[in-house]
Amino acid sequence: MADFNVNILGCGSALPTTRHAASSQVIDLRDKLYMIDCGEGTQVQMRRMHIKFARLNHIFITHAHGDHCFGIPGLISTLGMLGRNGDLTIHAPSELKEYIQTIVKLFCQGMPYFVRFNPVNTNEYSLVMEDRSVSVYSIPLKHRIPCCGYLFVEKQREPHIIREMIDFYQIPVRAIQCIKQGADYVTPEGKTIPNAWLTRPATPARRYAYCSDTGYFPKILPYIHQVDLLYHEATFAEADAARAYETFHSTAKQAATIARDAEVKRLLIGHYSARYEELTPLLDEAKSVFPQTCLAQEGMSLSI
Amino acid sequence: MADFNVNILGCGSALPTTRHAASSQVIDLRDKLYMIDCGEGTQVQMRRMHIKFARLNHIFITHAHGDHCFGIPGLISTLGMLGRNGDLTIHAPSELKEYIQTIVKLFCQGMPYFVRFNPVNTNEYSLVMEDRSVSVYSIPLKHRIPCCGYLFVEKQREPHIIREMIDFYQIPVRAIQCIKQGADYVTPEGKTIPNAWLTRPATPARRYAYCSDTGYFPKILPYIHQVDLLYHEATFAEADAARAYETFHSTAKQAATIARDAEVKRLLIGHYSARYEELTPLLDEAKSVFPQTCLAQEGMSLSI
């Protein structure tokens, strides 16, 4: 099965610590890289995880808080120094357009590639980007400023060929691609073999949802229903639920409640407040509601 | 003797590596902190070195290349979240004004303190800032864009009291401060004791010079003559001297030549190109010209 990995570059929150880096993830899907959020220090985290700069073409930013976007200037400068040619597209709420434009104007004169800005609608679920491998949708979230999560939906894959039937009918290799596309096979004698005899349905397309930053917001449930993996912020422990409410963040238990109610397969929590040196209590609180939970940590790579 | 320390937060150059952080230093002088350059990741380096955010009031930026200033947005945001009240002054070439203003406008609404911008003249040696502890001067450097180094000159300290003489004349404690300021002492009998009998001259004021980024530029010699410590960039080894010349950087040997000709007491080299995994050759090349050289490294704290 083709790669679909989520690499955790940073899962801390706004205040800097030596334990966690600011938010950033890189999705590795069929050998292309898609970044979600780009907090300060992201480019060094890429180096640390041996993530190739050249394979990155799209960056998705959730909102205009520094811990989610202050790594962009360094990264786009570095890509220029590395001699990049192809466009880089930054998909982000329109609040970030002036920031990106100012950085490019002041620091990226004569850079060998172009930075495109694609404004993202944070108010409704909508298609942000698609290519041959993936469709990416925005997921409206509830935060202090306009903010959206992102849903990565792998493009439908080809059906599986039933090797025994291909051999039985002595179907030539040149016909296989058409059969994968849904065609029946006609034998040299003129007999039609229905496609359904020759193939099994494709593995369902995998889906990954990233929901940070957000307060507890059940309106997202239909968009993330039964995703293979959900990353949901869990800034606070239950004891600090009032603080979570005030700041439009979630507790670990709220993240787990969303995961349970959306019937997702697995939950990954992160965006930990700097106040917690030890994260086991957050994990325990989440697991009490949704057992298939794990803690994000820098350097982690999860296969979907 | 009062503290005068140089803390190395980062001494790498433009391309990110896991071995070095981007340029930043913090001068600790009489319990106040002064930052020079603020590359991406500086705030985490401060945490790592246990440098108190609250004691920092002045940031000096050498030039508008990202590896010297992309840590500013994160740092000023963090200072706001930590509830800072007092002004923060950023002294920098005027090219950086729009950058700072844009960041403050887009990311620092409602912050509890004020960020002042002080444009620095990079074309001539001139006073940038002074307070009760230090005078800071700009040092014109030779780089691809306007760039200056900074000279930190400790304010003249008080003369030393000669304890034996104070005891001999039974001079009361309340008179000591006046004597430190240069006053003679008049005994109750009306006899004048000259100040020179009671004091020894103050220790000469200490000086630290930071010169990065720059090509080999002997015009700086008069400004850094006999400083206690010189930090001079040494981006390249001698084998890459042509590259140094093209990019307006220095080799380690050139840095040492400047140190020797300025008769400085000690030389600290840094701003290493990402191409060198091993820095001993740079150190050896520098020492062949100026033996009192050492390699900067992250986490180092030097007493001046």
Side-chain angles (χ1 to χ4, degrees), chain A residues 166-196:
Chain A
I166 300 297
D167 293 346
F168 182 82
Y169 289 108
Q170 298 184 305
I171 298 175
V173 170
R174 65 174 183 279
I176 300 290
Q177 198 50 42
C178 292
I179 293 170
K180 282 186 175 177
Q181 304 300 319
D184 297 332
Y185 177 68
V186 182
T187 66
E189 297 78 30
K191 184 180 171 193
T192 295
I193 316 296
N195 186 273

Side-chain angles (χ1 to χ4, degrees), chain B residues 26-298:
Chain B
V26 169
I27 314 300
D28 187 343
L29 177 60
R30 302 182 189 172
D31 284 333
K32 284 183 279 190
L33 302 179
Y34 308 84
M35 181 178 282
I36 313 174
D37 281 338
C38 185
E40 184 175 352
T42 292
Q43 59 175 343
V44 172
Q45 293 295 91
M46 287 180 77
R47 284 276 198 233
R48 209 159 267 151
M49 293 185 73
H50 306 290
I51 292 172
K52 295 268 182 289
F53 288 81
R55 292 204 283 122
L56 177 68
N57 297 311
H58 295 274
I59 302 177
F60 300 84
I61 303 293
T62 56
H63 65 299
H65 280 159
D67 58 320
H68 295 255
C69 63
F70 281 167
I72 297 176
L75 180 56
I76 63 184
S77 301
T78 293
L79 292 176
M81 286 184 276
L82 294 175
R84 182 193 184 85
N85 293 308
D87 288 2
L88 175 76
T89 305
I90 298 177
H91 310 266
S94 54
E95 286 76 10
L96 280 160
K97 187 169 188 178
E98 184 180 349
Y99 169 61
I100 304 295
Q101 283 178 334
T102 303
I103 295 298
V104 169
K105 183 181 81 174
L106 297 178
F107 296 99
C108 306
Q109 294 299 320
M111 216 168 51
Y113 77 101
F114 188 68
V115 177
R116 286 177 4 95
F117 184 86
N118 177 33
V120 172
N121 182 348
T122 59
N123 293 317
E124 55 189 46
Y125 178 78
S126 53
L127 181 69
V128 174
M129 187 281 285
E130 68 175 333
D131 61 17
R132 287 191 305 171
S133 306
V134 69
S135 301
V136 183
Y137 299 86
S138 60
I139 303 170
L141 298 176
K142 186 174 81 173
H143 199 43
R144 302 193 295 278
I145 61 172
C147 180
C148 67
Y150 291 100
L151 175 69
F152 283 69
V153 182
E154 184 184 23
K155 279 286 170 76
Q156 183 63 50
R157 286 177 290 170
E158 293 177 333
H160 300 286
I161 292 293
I162 303 174
R163 177 55 49 196
E164 296 75 12
M165 298 299 276
I166 301 295
D167 292 346
F168 181 81
Y169 289 107
Q170 297 183 305
I171 297 174
V173 169
R174 66 175 181 277
I176 301 289
Q177 199 52 43
C178 292
I179 293 170
K180 282 186 176 176
Q181 304 300 318
D184 297 333
Y185 177 67
V186 181
T187 65
E189 297 78 30
K191 186 181 169 190
T192 297
I193 315 296
N195 185 273
W197 295 11
L198 304 172
T199 63
R200 276 198 308 272
T203 314
R206 292 164 292 184
R207 293 183 303 144
Y208 171 63
Y210 177 101
C211 296
S212 184
D213 295 354
T214 186
Y216 175 67
F217 196 43
K219 279 191 184 170
I220 66 176
L221 293 175
Y223 311 127
I224 63 172
H225 186 62
Q226 292 183 344
V227 294
D228 295 273
L229 179 64
L230 167 66
Y231 175 83
H232 195 290
E233 73 130 287
T235 309
F236 293 104
E238 207 54 28
D240 295 312
R243 180 85 184 130
Y245 182 80
E246 279 164 24
T247 56
F248 293 82
H249 283 299
S250 300
T251 64
K253 203 165 176 180
Q254 288 170 334
T257 304
I258 292 289
R260 182 195 64 196
D261 294 348
E263 299 172 25
V264 309
K265 294 201 185 121
R266 284 187 297 162
L267 170 65
L268 181 65
I269 56 173
H271 199 266
Y272 315 116
S273 165
R275 72 189 62 193
Y276 308 119
E277 295 213 4
E278 174 52 63
L279 298 172
T280 313
L282 272 72
L283 180 62
D284 291 344
E285 289 178 7
K287 280 188 159 178
S288 72
V289 173
F290 187 78
Q292 301 306 317
T293 303
C294 74
L295 290 172
Q297 62 184 49
E298 283 75 10

Side-chain angles (χ1 to χ4, degrees), chain A residues 14-16 18 40-43 47-48 64 69-71 73-74 77-78 81-82 96 98-99 102-103 105-107, chain B residues 14-16 18 40-44 47-48 64 69-71 73-74 77-78 81-82 96 98-99 102-103 105-107:
Chain A
L15 280 177
T18 54
E40 184 176 352
T42 292
Q43 58 174 344
R47 285 275 199 233
R48 211 161 264 150
C69 64
F70 281 168
S77 300
T78 294
M81 285 184 278
L82 294 174
L96 279 160
E98 184 181 351
Y99 168 60
T102 303
I103 295 297
K105 183 181 79 172
L106 297 178
F107 296 100
Chain B
L15 281 176
T18 54
E40 184 175 352
T42 292
Q43 59 175 343
V44 172
R47 284 276 198 233
R48 209 159 267 151
C69 63
F70 281 167
S77 301
T78 293
M81 286 184 276
L82 294 175
L96 280 160
E98 184 180 349
Y99 169 61
T102 303
I103 295 298
K105 183 181 81 174
L106 297 178
F107 296 99

Side-chain angles (χ1 to χ4, degrees), chain A residues 11-37:
Chain A
C11 53
S13 61
L15 280 177
T17 70
T18 54
R19 301 184 303 279
H20 295 288
S23 288
S24 185
Q25 299 188 1
V26 170
I27 315 299
D28 186 344
L29 178 59
R30 301 182 190 173
D31 283 334
K32 283 183 278 191
L33 301 179
Y34 308 83
M35 180 178 282
I36 313 175
D37 282 338

